[in-house]
Amino acid sequence: MTTVVREPAEFRRACDDARRASRRIGLVPTMGALHAGHLSLIDEASRRADFLAVTIFVNPLQFAPGEDLQRYPKTLEDDLGGCRRRGVDVVFAPDTGAMYPEGFQTQVSVAGVTKPLEGVFRPSHFEGVTTVVAKLFNLAGPCAAVFGRKDYQQWKVLSRMVEDLDMPIEVIGCPIVREPDGLALSSRNRYLSTNDRHRALAVVAGLRAAHDAWEHGERKPAVLESAAAAPVAATFDRIDYVAAVDPETFEPPATSPERLLIAAAAHLGSTRLIDNVVLGEDERP
Ligand code: PAF
C-alpha cells in the first residue's frame, strides 16, 4: 500500500518506522509530472532498497523569476497512480509552506561544480536544488537516493554535497530514458507543439553526430563540440550552451580525453531543453 503524506513530520515518521523495522530506504526526489524516466528511477531504487520513498514537490527555490515555475505541469493523481503501481511505500507531497515555513533562512550551497554550464545561465538554480534535497535527505535518512542523468550536472552536484557533508547516502545516477526517436524524456516535453517536438530532435542529432565521430576515433574536444552544436544552432531558437567538458569537473577537457561530456541546453520558443551524452561511456543516444 502506498501512503501519501503532506507534512514533513509525517514523512520523517514513516521513514523512521521503516528504519526501525530494519528496512533500507531508497529515495527518489521528483517534481512530479512523472514519466517513464522517473519510473526507471523508482525501479532502480527498488533494486537497492526495500522501502521506497518518492517525493513530489515543485521546488520554488530552484526557479529564477521568469522561469516556468507557474506553468510547471502538476499531475498529482496520475503520479500517485504510477507510484502505487510501482509499489512505492510512501509518497511525500508537501506544499510550499510546509517545506519553507515563514522565517526559513537557510541555503545549502556547493561551490566549484555548480558554476559552469547550468550555473552560468541559472546562477541560483543549484542552491535551490541542494537546499531542498538536503532537507529531503534529512527527513528521510535514505541509504540510497536515485536521480536521472539527464540532469547530469545536478547528479554530480548532489554527489559532491553528500561527500562534503558526510551524508551516509549512496547517490545513484540512472541512464537517460529516451523516446524511440531519441528525444530524452522530460516533464517539459509536454510544453512542445507538434512542430517543436520535431525540431527538438536536432539536439539528439547533435549528440549522435558527436558520438559517431568519437566512435570513428575523433578525440579533439573542439571538433566533437562543433559536431554536436551544428544541428542545434541550425534549428533551435536560442542556445545557452553546447559544450564539450570534463565529465567530473565541467572544466575544459584534456586535449585527448578518455571520457568527454557533451552537454546541451537550448530553447524552442519558451521551452528550454537539456540533454547530454558522455562519450567513452554512454551508448549512442
Ligand atoms: O530533478 C528534479 O526533479 C529536481 O531538481 C529535484 C532533484 C527533485 C529537486 O527539486
Side-chain angles (χ1 to χ4, degrees):
M1 208 193 69
T2 305
T3 307
V4 182
V5 296
R6 297 285 197 169
E7 292 300 325
E10 296 175 292
F11 183 46
R12 187 194 292 281
R13 203 172 311 123
C15 294
D16 282 350
D17 289 349
R19 245 188 323 275
R20 260 193 297 277
S22 299
R23 296 173 77 182
R24 277 178 61 85
I25 298 172
L27 178 69
V28 182
T30 80
M31 298 206 298
L34 302 187
H35 51 63
H38 294 110
L39 301 182
S40 78
L41 307 183
I42 298 174
D43 291 345
E44 183 59 29
S46 74
R47 285 189 280 275
R48 292 169 181 269
D50 53 11
F51 183 85
L52 297 183
V54 171
T55 67
I56 297 178
F57 177 59
V58 182
N59 171 34
L61 276 194
Q62 67 189 76
F63 291 79
E67 292 187 346
D68 58 344
L69 173 63
Q70 299 313 329
R71 71 165 178 158
Y72 200 84
K74 293 192 181 59
T75 59
L76 187 60
E77 282 315 309
D78 287 352
D79 295 348
L80 294 179
C83 289
R84 289 191 181 101
R85 283 190 291 280
R86 241 55 188 192
V88 170
D89 294 286
V90 61
V91 175
F92 176 45
D95 64 23
T96 304
M99 288 301 277
Y100 303 120
E102 224 184 293
F104 185 90
Q105 307 185 354
T106 300
Q107 299 263 308
V108 176
S109 127
V110 173
V113 285
T114 58
K115 302 302 176 213
L117 303 180
E118 289 295 287
V120 174
F121 295 90
R122 305 183 73 192
S124 58
H125 171 68
F126 285 125
E127 247 181 29
V129 172
T130 44
T131 300
V132 79
V133 173
K135 280 174 71 77
L136 297 172
F137 283 0
N138 281 335
L139 289 170
C143 294
V146 187
F147 299 89
R149 276 193 242 155
K150 190 170 81 63
D151 295 291
Y152 185 95
Q153 190 177 6
Q154 168 175 279
W155 168 46
K156 293 293 178 183
V157 167
L158 292 170
S159 303
R160 185 80 254 159
M161 175 185 84
V162 160
E163 194 170 331
D164 290 353
L165 298 183
D166 303 307
M167 294 173 163
I169 301 166
E170 197 181 349
V171 176
I172 294 144
C174 286
I176 297 175
V177 177
R178 296 180 180 278
E179 301 274 11
D181 61 9
L183 187 68
L185 295 192
S186 163
S187 304
R188 292 183 166 101
N189 288 352
R190 67 187 74 199
Y191 301 152
L192 297 170
S193 66
T194 310
N195 187 36
D196 284 349
R197 165 71 184 70
H198 184 71
R199 293 166 72 209
L201 290 176
V203 76
V204 184
L207 297 181
R208 284 180 177 163
H211 195 274
D212 292 347
W214 178 276
E215 292 297 300
H216 284 98
E218 181 58 72
R219 291 292 180 274
K220 287 194 263 333
V223 173
L224 294 157
E225 184 177 287
S226 301
V232 186
T235 311
F236 275 64
D237 298 318
R238 184 156 57 92
I239 296 185
D240 284 349
Y241 57 83
V242 177
V245 294
D246 181 278
E248 303 305 321
T249 62
F250 311 121
E251 297 296 337
T255 14
S256 180
E258 280 173 20
R259 292 160 68 241
L260 184 69
L261 172 69
I262 307 280
H267 300 253
L268 285 171
S270 58
T271 303
R272 183 176 190 268
L273 297 179
I274 60 172
D275 202 348
N276 70 79
V277 65
V278 179
L279 304 178
E281 184 172 297
D282 290 342
E283 284 175 11
R284 189 172 189 266

